[in-house]
Amino acid sequence: MTVDEGLDTIVTRLAHQDKVPWYKKPNLRTLYLVFLPTCLGVEMTSGFDSSMVNGLQAVGTWDTFFNHPRSAILGLISAMYSLGAVCALPFVPIISDRLGRRRSIVLGSLFMLIGAILQAASQNFAMFIVSRFILGLGIPFAIIAASSLIGELSHPKERPIVSSLFNSCYFIGSIVAAGVTLGTFAMPTNWGWRIPSVLQVIPSILQLTFIWFLPESPRWLVSKGRGPEAFAILAKYHAEGDTNSEFVKAEFAQIEKTLELEMENAKRSWRELFGTAGMRRRVLIGSFLGLATQWSGNGLTSYFLARILDNIGIHDNRTKNLINVAMSCWSFVNGTTIALTVPRLKRRTAYMTCTISLLLIFTGWTVASARYAITGDKAPSRAVIAFIFLYSPAYNIGYNAMSYTFLVEIFPFHVRSRGLTIFQWFSRLATFFNQFVNPIGIANAGWKYYISYCVFLLFEVIFVYFLFPETSNRTLEELAFLYEDDKLQEQQKRVEHEIHEIHVEDLQHREKEDGIEHAYIEDVRTR
C-alpha cells in the first residue's frame, strides 16, 4: 500500500478489504450485543411511551381516573413529554461533550427512571403531568449520546446498519406497551393503567445496568487528550486486539488528524453552527429533519390512533388495542428489515423514495377519510386502515432507518452533539405542537385536518431533492469536511503525512528486528 493512493478513502478501502463478518469476531460481537440494552435500547423508552399513551386512551379505568381527557387536555398529556425534552436540550451538548457519551446516557436514564416511577404512582392529573415532564427531561440526554456513541464506536463496515437499527428499537418498546395495554385494558381497577406505567422503567434499568460494560467513544477520548485509551479501544474492537493492525493505525491517524484540524478552528459556541455556509447548510438539514420526522403524519398514529379510529367508525376498545398491537408488530418487522437493508442504498435514493411514498399514501388516506365522512360506508374505513399500515414502511425507509445515520455523518465531531441537539430541538417542538394541536384538529376538522400534512409532505419532496447531499460509503472523518474543500485538502495532507510516518516507523522497527536477528545468527556461527 502506498501512502499517496486514495488517502481520502483509505480507511474505507481498508475496512472493505476485511472479509471476516462481525459475528465471527468475539470482541466486536460483544460490543454489538452490549449496544442492545444500552444505546439501541434508548429508543425503547420512546416507543413504549407513545404506544402506551395510545393504548391508555382505550383503557376505561385510565379514562375515568383522569376525567375523560379529550382535545386540549389530551394533547397536554402527550405534549408534556416533548416539553420536558425541549427544556433539557440546551444542557445536553454540555454534558455529552464535557462528561462523555456514557455519563450522558446515565443521567438521562436516571431522569426517565424517576419519571416512570412517579407516573405509575400518580394520584391525580397534576402528578401525572409532572411525571411525563420528567420523563421528557431524560430522553434527549440518552438519545443524543447513544446515537453519537453508536456511530463513533461501530466498525465502519457496520456503522450505517447499526445506526439504522437505533430507531427500529423504538418498535420493541411500542410492541411491549401495546401488548401490555391489550392485556390490562379490561381490568376493573387502576392497575389497568398503572401496570403499563410501571413497566416503562425497564429500558432505563437496562441502560443503567449494562452501560458500565460499554467503552467510551474513541473520538471523545482523543478530543480529551487520551489518545492511548482511544487506540486501545479501536484495536480491541476493530482489530480483535491486534495493536499492529494496519487498519486500526490508519483509522486512529485519521481520527487524530481530523479532530486536530477541527479543533484548530472550533469556537466551542453555538455561533459556530452559523459561522460558515457549510455549517449553515448542515443546520438547515438538521432542522428540516427534526420537523419532517414529526410533521409527516406519524404523530397521528403514534399518539392518537384511538381518536382516528373513532372518526372512521371504530369505537370498540378491544378492537382499538388489537389494531395498536398489530401496528406495533408490523412496524417492528418492516422497520428492522428496512434498517438491515436500506443503509446499503444511497442516502438520497432512500429519502426520495420515502418522501414520495408518504405523499402518495397520505393523499390516499385523506381521500378515503373524506369518502367515509361523506358516505359512512365501510369500504373507505377499511381503506384508511390499509393506508395506515402502508404508511409505516414508507416512513421507515427514510425517517426511521436513515435519520441518525445521516445526521451523525453530516455533522463533524466537534459540533455533533450540538447538531443532534438542533435536530432534537425542532423534532421536540414539532412533536409538542402536534401533540397539543392534533387532537384539537381531529376533533374540529376531521379529515380536512389531514390536508395540511399533504401540503407539508410535498414540501419535503422538494427539499430533499434540492438540498440533501450524498454521504454513503465514507467514514465519519472522510465526511467531516463535506462542504469545506480547503479543509478537506488540508486533512488529506495531514493524514498522508501521519500514515507515512507510521510506515516509516514500522519499517525501521522491522529493520531493527531483522538486524538484531542477523547479528545473533552471525554470532552463533562465529562461536
Side-chain angles (χ1 to χ4, degrees), residues 181-207:
T181 52
L182 176 62
T184 65
F185 84 97
M187 284 185 177
T189 68
N190 286 328
W191 284 108
W193 64 268
R194 292 193 191 276
I195 288 174
S197 296
V198 169
L199 295 178
Q200 196 166 357
V201 305
I202 292 176
S204 299
I205 290 174
L206 288 173
Q207 288 144 33

mmCIF file of all heavy atoms in Angstrom, residues 181-207:
data_model
loop_
_atom_site.group_PDB
_atom_site.id
_atom_site.type_symbol
_atom_site.label_atom_id
_atom_site.label_comp_id
_atom_site.label_asym_id
_atom_site.label_seq_id
_atom_site.Cartn_x
_atom_site.Cartn_y
_atom_site.Cartn_z
ATOM 1 N N THR A 181 -51.072 -3.053 27.368
ATOM 2 C CA THR A 181 -52.361 -2.355 27.482
ATOM 3 C C THR A 181 -53.501 -3.216 26.949
ATOM 4 O O THR A 181 -54.632 -3.121 27.445
ATOM 5 C CB THR A 181 -52.334 -1.003 26.744
ATOM 6 O OG1 THR A 181 -51.866 -1.199 25.404
ATOM 7 C CG2 THR A 181 -51.425 -0.021 27.449
ATOM 8 N N LEU A 182 -53.207 -4.068 25.953
ATOM 9 C CA LEU A 182 -54.227 -5.010 25.481
ATOM 10 C C LEU A 182 -54.595 -5.996 26.577
ATOM 11 O O LEU A 182 -55.761 -6.375 26.727
ATOM 12 C CB LEU A 182 -53.723 -5.765 24.245
ATOM 13 C CG LEU A 182 -54.644 -6.862 23.687
ATOM 14 C CD1 LEU A 182 -55.974 -6.268 23.221
ATOM 15 C CD2 LEU A 182 -53.966 -7.620 22.552
ATOM 16 N N GLY A 183 -53.604 -6.377 27.377
ATOM 17 C CA GLY A 183 -53.864 -7.335 28.450
ATOM 18 C C GLY A 183 -54.484 -6.719 29.691
ATOM 19 O O GLY A 183 -55.084 -7.424 30.502
ATOM 20 N N THR A 184 -54.332 -5.400 29.857
ATOM 21 C CA THR A 184 -54.823 -4.771 31.094
ATOM 22 C C THR A 184 -56.038 -3.869 30.896
ATOM 23 O O THR A 184 -56.606 -3.395 31.881
ATOM 24 C CB THR A 184 -53.700 -3.926 31.746
ATOM 25 O OG1 THR A 184 -53.365 -2.828 30.880
ATOM 26 C CG2 THR A 184 -52.465 -4.761 32.015
ATOM 27 N N PHE A 185 -56.434 -3.599 29.628
ATOM 28 C CA PHE A 185 -57.457 -2.575 29.401
ATOM 29 C C PHE A 185 -58.804 -2.920 30.050
ATOM 30 O O PHE A 185 -59.587 -2.022 30.386
ATOM 31 C CB PHE A 185 -57.650 -2.343 27.891
ATOM 32 C CG PHE A 185 -58.592 -3.311 27.226
ATOM 33 C CD1 PHE A 185 -59.928 -2.981 27.013
ATOM 34 C CD2 PHE A 185 -58.147 -4.565 26.818
ATOM 35 C CE1 PHE A 185 -60.799 -3.866 26.397
ATOM 36 C CE2 PHE A 185 -59.011 -5.454 26.212
ATOM 37 C CZ PHE A 185 -60.347 -5.111 25.998
ATOM 38 N N ALA A 186 -59.061 -4.232 30.254
ATOM 39 C CA ALA A 186 -60.354 -4.636 30.816
ATOM 40 C C ALA A 186 -60.332 -4.763 32.335
ATOM 41 O O ALA A 186 -61.359 -5.080 32.945
ATOM 42 C CB ALA A 186 -60.799 -5.957 30.187
ATOM 43 N N MET A 187 -59.159 -4.523 32.952
ATOM 44 C CA MET A 187 -59.094 -4.625 34.413
ATOM 45 C C MET A 187 -60.023 -3.589 35.064
ATOM 46 O O MET A 187 -60.039 -2.430 34.645
ATOM 47 C CB MET A 187 -57.656 -4.382 34.907
ATOM 48 C CG MET A 187 -56.720 -5.543 34.689
ATOM 49 S SD MET A 187 -55.100 -5.197 35.455
ATOM 50 C CE MET A 187 -54.246 -6.731 35.139
ATOM 51 N N PRO A 188 -60.765 -3.972 36.090
ATOM 52 C CA PRO A 188 -61.710 -3.035 36.714
ATOM 53 C C PRO A 188 -61.054 -2.044 37.673
ATOM 54 O O PRO A 188 -61.704 -1.116 38.145
ATOM 55 C CB PRO A 188 -62.667 -3.961 37.464
ATOM 56 C CG PRO A 188 -61.835 -5.166 37.792
ATOM 57 C CD PRO A 188 -60.879 -5.323 36.648
ATOM 58 N N THR A 189 -59.765 -2.246 37.985
ATOM 59 C CA THR A 189 -59.077 -1.360 38.931
ATOM 60 C C THR A 189 -58.078 -0.467 38.199
ATOM 61 O O THR A 189 -57.822 -0.637 37.003
ATOM 62 C CB THR A 189 -58.318 -2.180 39.992
ATOM 63 O OG1 THR A 189 -57.221 -2.854 39.345
ATOM 64 C CG2 THR A 189 -59.229 -3.208 40.641
ATOM 65 N N ASN A 190 -57.470 0.462 38.950
ATOM 66 C CA ASN A 190 -56.492 1.380 38.356
ATOM 67 C C ASN A 190 -55.199 0.698 37.938
ATOM 68 O O ASN A 190 -54.376 1.309 37.249
ATOM 69 C CB ASN A 190 -56.179 2.517 39.336
ATOM 70 C CG ASN A 190 -57.314 3.514 39.431
ATOM 71 O OD1 ASN A 190 -58.029 3.739 38.458
ATOM 72 N ND2 ASN A 190 -57.495 4.111 40.611
ATOM 73 N N TRP A 191 -55.014 -0.550 38.351
ATOM 74 C CA TRP A 191 -53.842 -1.293 37.891
ATOM 75 C C TRP A 191 -53.883 -1.520 36.385
ATOM 76 O O TRP A 191 -52.875 -1.827 35.759
ATOM 77 C CB TRP A 191 -53.710 -2.618 38.632
ATOM 78 C CG TRP A 191 -53.180 -2.437 40.021
ATOM 79 C CD1 TRP A 191 -53.862 -2.564 41.188
ATOM 80 C CD2 TRP A 191 -51.833 -2.058 40.379
ATOM 81 N NE1 TRP A 191 -53.048 -2.292 42.267
ATOM 82 C CE2 TRP A 191 -51.786 -1.979 41.793
ATOM 83 C CE3 TRP A 191 -50.686 -1.773 39.661
ATOM 84 C CZ2 TRP A 191 -50.629 -1.622 42.479
ATOM 85 C CZ3 TRP A 191 -49.521 -1.422 40.349
ATOM 86 C CH2 TRP A 191 -49.505 -1.348 41.743
ATOM 87 N N GLY A 192 -55.046 -1.356 35.788
ATOM 88 C CA GLY A 192 -55.161 -1.473 34.334
ATOM 89 C C GLY A 192 -54.295 -0.459 33.599
ATOM 90 O O GLY A 192 -53.830 -0.718 32.491
ATOM 91 N N TRP A 193 -54.071 0.722 34.208
ATOM 92 C CA TRP A 193 -53.164 1.698 33.592
ATOM 93 C C TRP A 193 -51.866 1.881 34.380
ATOM 94 O O TRP A 193 -50.868 2.355 33.833
ATOM 95 C CB TRP A 193 -53.858 3.052 33.425
ATOM 96 C CG TRP A 193 -54.266 3.749 34.688
ATOM 97 C CD1 TRP A 193 -55.459 3.674 35.323
ATOM 98 C CD2 TRP A 193 -53.463 4.659 35.467
ATOM 99 N NE1 TRP A 193 -55.479 4.469 36.459
ATOM 100 C CE2 TRP A 193 -54.254 5.092 36.565
ATOM 101 C CE3 TRP A 193 -52.168 5.149 35.357
ATOM 102 C CZ2 TRP A 193 -53.801 5.985 37.525
ATOM 103 C CZ3 TRP A 193 -51.703 6.046 36.313
ATOM 104 C CH2 TRP A 193 -52.513 6.450 37.380
ATOM 105 N N ARG A 194 -51.839 1.480 35.651
ATOM 106 C CA ARG A 194 -50.592 1.615 36.419
ATOM 107 C C ARG A 194 -49.553 0.566 36.004
ATOM 108 O O ARG A 194 -48.352 0.842 36.010
ATOM 109 C CB ARG A 194 -50.881 1.498 37.918
ATOM 110 C CG ARG A 194 -51.683 2.668 38.490
ATOM 111 C CD ARG A 194 -51.669 2.654 40.013
ATOM 112 N NE ARG A 194 -52.631 3.595 40.570
ATOM 113 C CZ ARG A 194 -52.394 4.889 40.753
ATOM 114 N NH1 ARG A 194 -51.221 5.396 40.401
ATOM 115 N NH2 ARG A 194 -53.322 5.673 41.284
ATOM 116 N N ILE A 195 -49.984 -0.636 35.663
ATOM 117 C CA ILE A 195 -49.035 -1.685 35.262
ATOM 118 C C ILE A 195 -48.216 -1.257 34.041
ATOM 119 O O ILE A 195 -46.977 -1.388 34.049
ATOM 120 C CB ILE A 195 -49.767 -3.023 35.023
ATOM 121 C CG1 ILE A 195 -50.218 -3.616 36.361
ATOM 122 C CG2 ILE A 195 -48.863 -4.018 34.283
ATOM 123 C CD1 ILE A 195 -51.071 -4.868 36.229
ATOM 124 N N PRO A 196 -48.847 -0.754 32.959
ATOM 125 C CA PRO A 196 -48.023 -0.274 31.841
ATOM 126 C C PRO A 196 -47.033 0.815 32.261
ATOM 127 O O PRO A 196 -45.889 0.840 31.790
ATOM 128 C CB PRO A 196 -49.062 0.281 30.855
ATOM 129 C CG PRO A 196 -50.307 -0.475 31.156
ATOM 130 C CD PRO A 196 -50.284 -0.697 32.638
ATOM 131 N N SER A 197 -47.444 1.703 33.161
ATOM 132 C CA SER A 197 -46.546 2.767 33.629
ATOM 133 C C SER A 197 -45.362 2.205 34.411
ATOM 134 O O SER A 197 -44.227 2.680 34.280
ATOM 135 C CB SER A 197 -47.319 3.765 34.494
ATOM 136 O OG SER A 197 -48.311 4.426 33.745
ATOM 137 N N VAL A 198 -45.615 1.178 35.235
ATOM 138 C CA VAL A 198 -44.538 0.536 35.995
ATOM 139 C C VAL A 198 -43.503 -0.071 35.053
ATOM 140 O O VAL A 198 -42.287 0.055 35.258
ATOM 141 C CB VAL A 198 -45.108 -0.554 36.933
ATOM 142 C CG1 VAL A 198 -43.979 -1.408 37.509
ATOM 143 C CG2 VAL A 198 -45.911 0.078 38.067
ATOM 144 N N LEU A 199 -43.985 -0.717 33.987
ATOM 145 C CA LEU A 199 -43.078 -1.407 33.062
ATOM 146 C C LEU A 199 -42.226 -0.444 32.240
ATOM 147 O O LEU A 199 -41.244 -0.854 31.625
ATOM 148 C CB LEU A 199 -43.883 -2.325 32.138
ATOM 149 C CG LEU A 199 -44.590 -3.501 32.827
ATOM 150 C CD1 LEU A 199 -45.390 -4.316 31.822
ATOM 151 C CD2 LEU A 199 -43.572 -4.396 33.531
ATOM 152 N N GLN A 200 -42.579 0.831 32.242
ATOM 153 C CA GLN A 200 -41.784 1.806 31.494
ATOM 154 C C GLN A 200 -40.407 2.030 32.113
ATOM 155 O O GLN A 200 -39.531 2.609 31.481
ATOM 156 C CB GLN A 200 -42.534 3.136 31.382
ATOM 157 C CG GLN A 200 -41.965 4.067 30.314
ATOM 158 C CD GLN A 200 -42.895 5.209 29.972
ATOM 159 O OE1 GLN A 200 -43.999 5.296 30.489
ATOM 160 N NE2 GLN A 200 -42.459 6.098 29.098
ATOM 161 N N VAL A 201 -40.180 1.534 33.334
ATOM 162 C CA VAL A 201 -38.862 1.684 33.965
ATOM 163 C C VAL A 201 -37.845 0.702 33.386
ATOM 164 O O VAL A 201 -36.637 0.892 33.559
ATOM 165 C CB VAL A 201 -38.940 1.474 35.500
ATOM 166 C CG1 VAL A 201 -39.968 2.394 36.126
ATOM 167 C CG2 VAL A 201 -39.232 0.019 35.860
ATOM 168 N N ILE A 202 -38.303 -0.357 32.701
ATOM 169 C CA ILE A 202 -37.398 -1.435 32.280
ATOM 170 C C ILE A 202 -36.278 -0.952 31.369
ATOM 171 O O ILE A 202 -35.096 -1.272 31.613
ATOM 172 C CB ILE A 202 -38.191 -2.587 31.632
ATOM 173 C CG1 ILE A 202 -39.050 -3.281 32.691
ATOM 174 C CG2 ILE A 202 -37.244 -3.596 30.965
ATOM 175 C CD1 ILE A 202 -39.949 -4.376 32.143
ATOM 176 N N PRO A 203 -36.546 -0.190 30.293
ATOM 177 C CA PRO A 203 -35.421 0.260 29.452
ATOM 178 C C PRO A 203 -34.367 1.043 30.221
ATOM 179 O O PRO A 203 -33.157 0.843 30.015
ATOM 180 C CB PRO A 203 -36.109 1.136 28.392
ATOM 181 C CG PRO A 203 -37.512 0.641 28.330
ATOM 182 C CD PRO A 203 -37.847 0.244 29.738
ATOM 183 N N SER A 204 -34.800 1.916 31.125
ATOM 184 C CA SER A 204 -33.837 2.724 31.894
ATOM 185 C C SER A 204 -33.001 1.860 32.826
ATOM 186 O O SER A 204 -31.799 2.093 32.996
ATOM 187 C CB SER A 204 -34.581 3.797 32.697
ATOM 188 O OG SER A 204 -35.280 4.666 31.842
ATOM 189 N N ILE A 205 -33.626 0.861 33.431
ATOM 190 C CA ILE A 205 -32.884 -0.062 34.307
ATOM 191 C C ILE A 205 -31.841 -0.832 33.495
ATOM 192 O O ILE A 205 -30.698 -1.028 33.946
ATOM 193 C CB ILE A 205 -33.852 -1.024 35.021
ATOM 194 C CG1 ILE A 205 -34.685 -0.256 36.054
ATOM 195 C CG2 ILE A 205 -33.094 -2.163 35.693
ATOM 196 C CD1 ILE A 205 -35.761 -1.079 36.716
ATOM 197 N N LEU A 206 -32.200 -1.250 32.285
ATOM 198 C CA LEU A 206 -31.249 -1.949 31.421
ATOM 199 C C LEU A 206 -30.059 -1.058 31.079
ATOM 200 O O LEU A 206 -28.900 -1.496 31.111
ATOM 201 C CB LEU A 206 -31.943 -2.407 30.134
ATOM 202 C CG LEU A 206 -32.938 -3.567 30.261
ATOM 203 C CD1 LEU A 206 -33.663 -3.789 28.937
ATOM 204 C CD2 LEU A 206 -32.219 -4.849 30.679
ATOM 205 N N GLN A 207 -30.325 0.197 30.765
ATOM 206 C CA GLN A 207 -29.240 1.122 30.423
ATOM 207 C C GLN A 207 -28.310 1.354 31.613
ATOM 208 O O GLN A 207 -27.080 1.329 31.464
ATOM 209 C CB GLN A 207 -29.829 2.450 29.939
ATOM 210 C CG GLN A 207 -30.457 2.370 28.560
ATOM 211 C CD GLN A 207 -31.694 3.220 28.405
ATOM 212 O OE1 GLN A 207 -31.797 4.287 29.000
ATOM 213 N NE2 GLN A 207 -32.646 2.760 27.597
#
